[in-house]
Amino acid sequence: MEKPSIKECFLTVLIFVICTFIGLVFQKFHFSEANVVTIYILGVLLTSILTDGYLCSVAGSVMSVFLFCFFLTEPRMSFQTYAVGYPVTFVIMLISSVLTGTLAAKLKMHARLSAQLAFRTQILFDTDRLLQKARSQKEILEITCTQLARLFDRSIVAYAAVNGRLAEGHLFSEKEKAEDQSYLTLDEQQIARWVYTNKKRAGATTHYYKNSKCLYLAIRIGDQVYGVIGVPAQKNVLDSFEYSILLSVLNECALAMDNARNAEEKEKNAVIAKNEQLRADLLRAISHDLRTPLCSISGNADMLLSNGKYLDEGTRRQIYTDIYDDAEWLTGVVENLLSITRLNDGRLKFKFTDQLMDEVIAEALRHISRKHDDYKIITECEDLLLTRMDVRLIIQVLVNLVDNAIKYTPSGSTITIRALKKNEKAWISVEDN
C-alpha cells in the first residue's frame, strides 16, 4: 500500500477540522447529534475521493471519532462522557466511517482501473490500425515503440535488424529525460545483441544480465528475428498483465514485419519477372531486326548460286550491292546492341555530326522491311533542315518507328514521316492513319 503524501495528509486534517467547525455550528443551533455524525461521514467520503489509497480514509475515520468525542460531547475538551450510550455511538460511528471510506476508495480504484483498461484497449486498437497501414519495417518499428511508450508511460529502446546485424539503438519517449540516454550505453547495446543472437529475453527481472537497466525482448516469428525492444525496469516493474500486453504487441509487430518482408519479396519477384519479360521482348525485337536482312542476304546468295550464270552483269551487281547493304545493316544492329551495354555501363560515346534531315530519312527508308512496298510512305521535310545528331542511332530510331507502323497497320495504310524546325530543334514524327 502506498504511503500518503504530505499534501494528502494536510488535506485530510483540513477536511476534518472543517467538519468539526460545522459540527460546533450545528450544536449552537441545536441540531441533533445524528446530523453532526453525518457531517463526519461526509468528510470521510470527501477524503476517500480526494486522496489515493485507503490509509487517509481509515485515518480520517479514526480522527472523526476522536474529534467528535473531544469537541462535541459533554464534557468538552475531554475524552470522558456522561452519556451511557456514547461508547456504542462511537463504535458504530467508527465502523460506519471505516466502511464508508473503504467502499469509496475501492470505487475510486475500480474507476481508475477501468479508465486505465479503456486507455490500454484504445492504444492496442490504434496500434493494430496503424500497423496495418505501415509499409516498411522501419515504419512498423517506430509505430510499435511509440505506442508502447504511450502505453507504459516510459521510454522504449529499439534496435532494428539490418542485413543480419543489429543496428544502432533508438530511443522513443513521450517525455525526453536526460537519464534516458543511459539506456543506450555500450553495455546495454551488448545485452541487446546477445538477445538478438540467442533469441531469448534478457536484462532486468530475468536470469541473464540481471543488473541491466532494461528488459530486452526479441521481435521474432519462429527463428526470424526482426529486432530487439528494451523496456526500462523502473520502480514500478511490469506486472503480469502489462507483460502479457507487451508480448501481444511485440507478436503483432513481428507479424506486421513478416508481412512487410513478404510484400517486399513479392515486389522484387515481380520486378525480376518484369525484367525477364522485357528481356524476352528485347530478344524478339532483335530477332525481328536480324531476320529481315538475313533473309534478304540468304535469298540473294541463293539466287546467285542457282541462277548466277543466267543473270546479266547489272542484275548481279545490284544483288551484290543489296547483300553488302544488308550486311552493313546487320553490323549496325550489332553495334547498336553493343551501344546498349555501353550505355548501361556509362561508356557510350556519341558521334555527333551535322546532317541534312531529308537525307537521314531517306537512308532510314532504305533499311525498312521489304514489306513497305505494300504501304504508302509519305515524307514531309523542310528544305535544308540541318541538324546535329548521332546519325546511326537516329536512323535506327526511325527504322524502329516505321517498322512498328508497318507491323501494326493493315496493308495499304498511309505512313507519314514529318520533320520540321521548332524552337531551334528538329522535330520528327511518324504517324499512320
Side-chain angles (χ1 to χ4, degrees):
M1 189 176 294
E2 290 187 12
K3 187 177 180 181
S5 64
I6 296 176
K7 180 181 177 181
E8 290 177 335
C9 292
F10 176 78
L11 184 62
T12 303
V13 172
L14 179 63
I15 288 174
F16 287 100
V17 168
I18 294 174
C19 289
T20 302
F21 177 76
I22 295 173
L24 291 172
V25 173
F26 278 14
Q27 278 196 344
K28 186 176 181 180
F29 289 97
H30 306 290
F31 280 79
S32 66
E33 291 178 350
N35 296 116
V36 178
V37 172
T38 305
I39 292 298
Y40 279 109
I41 293 177
L42 177 61
V44 173
L45 283 173
L46 289 175
T47 303
S48 302
I49 293 172
L50 298 177
T51 60
D52 292 327
Y54 300 100
L55 289 179
C56 287
S57 300
V58 174
S61 300
V62 175
M63 191 185 305
S64 65
V65 173
F66 279 97
L67 290 174
F68 178 75
C69 177
F70 191 79
F71 290 102
L72 300 175
T73 60
E74 295 293 343
R76 304 288 177 87
M77 305 301 175
S78 171
F79 290 106
Q80 294 180 354
T81 179
Y82 298 142
V84 177
Y86 267 136
V88 177
T89 303
F90 294 154
V91 172
I92 295 174
M93 181 179 175
L94 177 60
I95 295 173
S96 301
S97 299
V98 170
L99 289 176
T100 302
T102 303
L103 289 174
K106 282 187 176 181
L107 288 174
K108 184 180 177 182
M109 182 178 292
H110 287 161
R112 185 167 61 250
L113 291 176
S114 298
Q116 187 180 36
L117 183 61
F119 172 74
R120 288 174 173 174
T121 303
Q122 184 62 43
I123 291 291
L124 293 175
F125 175 78
D126 292 340
T127 302
D128 181 67
R129 178 174 53 82
L130 292 171
L131 288 179
Q132 289 180 1
K133 293 182 179 180
R135 291 293 175 264
S136 65
Q137 293 188 11
K138 180 181 178 182
E139 186 180 359
I140 291 170
L141 186 62
E142 289 178 353
I143 290 171
T144 301
C145 294
T146 302
Q147 294 298 96
L148 286 177
R150 290 181 59 198
L151 188 63
F152 299 127
D153 192 25
R154 64 183 75 188
S155 302
I156 299 295
V157 184
Y159 297 85
V162 180
N163 298 325
R165 297 182 61 186
L166 210 58
E168 293 295 322
H170 292 276
L171 191 66
F172 296 85
S173 177
E174 286 288 293
K175 302 174 183 178
E176 287 293 335
K177 301 176 183 177
E179 60 267 21
D180 288 350
Q181 297 303 318
S182 63
Y183 303 140
L184 296 174
T185 61
L186 292 177
D187 291 338
E188 296 293 319
Q189 293 179 19
Q190 189 65 31
I191 299 171
R193 290 186 174 90
W194 185 92
V195 171
Y196 176 74
T197 303
N198 294 274
K199 303 180 180 63
K200 296 180 180 179
R201 65 174 186 168
T205 72
T206 69
H207 298 295
Y208 305 99
Y209 303 100
K210 295 180 180 180
N211 296 327
S212 171
K213 294 183 178 181
C214 298
L215 167 65
Y216 293 95
L217 300 99
I219 305 172
R220 68 188 184 99
I221 289 184
D223 292 331
Q224 181 64 43
V225 180
Y226 293 101
V228 174
I229 290 289
V231 182
Q234 300 172 343
K235 294 180 180 179
N236 51 336
V237 295
L238 298 179
D239 56 32
S240 59
F241 178 68
E242 290 176 327
Y243 186 72
S244 65
I245 291 178
L246 175 62
L247 292 180
S248 176
V249 172
L250 291 184
N251 289 336
E252 195 169 349
C253 173
L255 181 61
M257 285 188 170
D258 196 57
N259 292 336
R261 188 192 68 166
N262 292 336
E264 290 177 0
E265 290 181 353
K266 285 183 180 179
E267 188 174 348
K268 288 179 182 178
N269 292 335
V271 171
I272 293 173
K274 183 65 175 179
N275 289 338
E276 287 297 322
Q277 182 63 40
L278 292 174
R279 180 173 172 272
D281 292 342
L282 177 61
L283 290 175
R284 281 195 292 270
I286 293 171
S287 299
H288 173 266
D289 285 345
L290 296 178
R291 188 182 297 112
T292 300
L294 283 175
C295 289
S296 175
I297 291 172
S298 177
N300 286 329
D302 182 65
M303 184 178 293
L304 288 174
L305 289 173
S306 303
N307 303 308
K309 60 184 178 180
Y310 302 111
L311 301 176
D312 57 62
E313 184 63 24
T315 302
R316 285 200 300 273
R317 179 170 291 278
Q318 182 60 47
I319 292 175
Y320 292 145
T321 302
D322 290 343
I323 291 175
Y324 176 80
D325 289 343
D326 287 331
E328 285 292 309
W329 177 247
L330 284 175
T331 302
V333 171
V334 174
E335 283 295 328
N336 285 337
L337 294 177
L338 294 175
S339 296
I340 291 175
T341 60
R342 287 195 291 268
L343 181 63
N344 290 334
D345 296 338
R347 297 183 291 109
L348 178 63
K349 295 182 179 180
F350 296 100
K351 297 178 181 178
F352 289 101
T353 56
D354 293 328
Q355 301 288 337
L356 287 172
M357 201 67 240
D358 55 349
E359 294 180 358
V360 174
I361 295 174
E363 180 66 20
L365 291 177
R366 289 182 57 250
H367 297 285
I368 298 299
S369 170
R370 300 294 186 265
K371 294 180 181 179
H372 82 275
D373 294 336
D374 298 332
Y375 295 80
K376 183 179 181 181
I377 298 180
I378 301 174
T379 302
E380 298 178 3
C381 182
E382 290 187 7
D383 295 333
L384 301 177
L385 181 56
L386 191 65
T387 307
R388 190 167 183 77
M389 69 178 77
D390 187 318
V391 65
R392 292 182 305 107
L393 298 180
I394 295 300
I395 289 175
Q396 183 64 53
V397 170
L398 288 172
V399 169
N400 290 342
L401 292 175
V402 176
D403 270 346
N404 281 340
I406 291 172
K407 182 177 179 181
Y408 294 107
T409 55
S411 298
S413 299
T414 300
I415 299 172
T416 304
I417 305 174
R418 291 189 179 89
L420 54 93
K421 184 177 181 181
K422 183 178 180 182
N423 298 330
E424 301 302 321
K425 302 285 184 180
W427 288 70
I428 307 166
S429 65
V430 178
E431 303 173 1
D432 62 63
N433 63 342

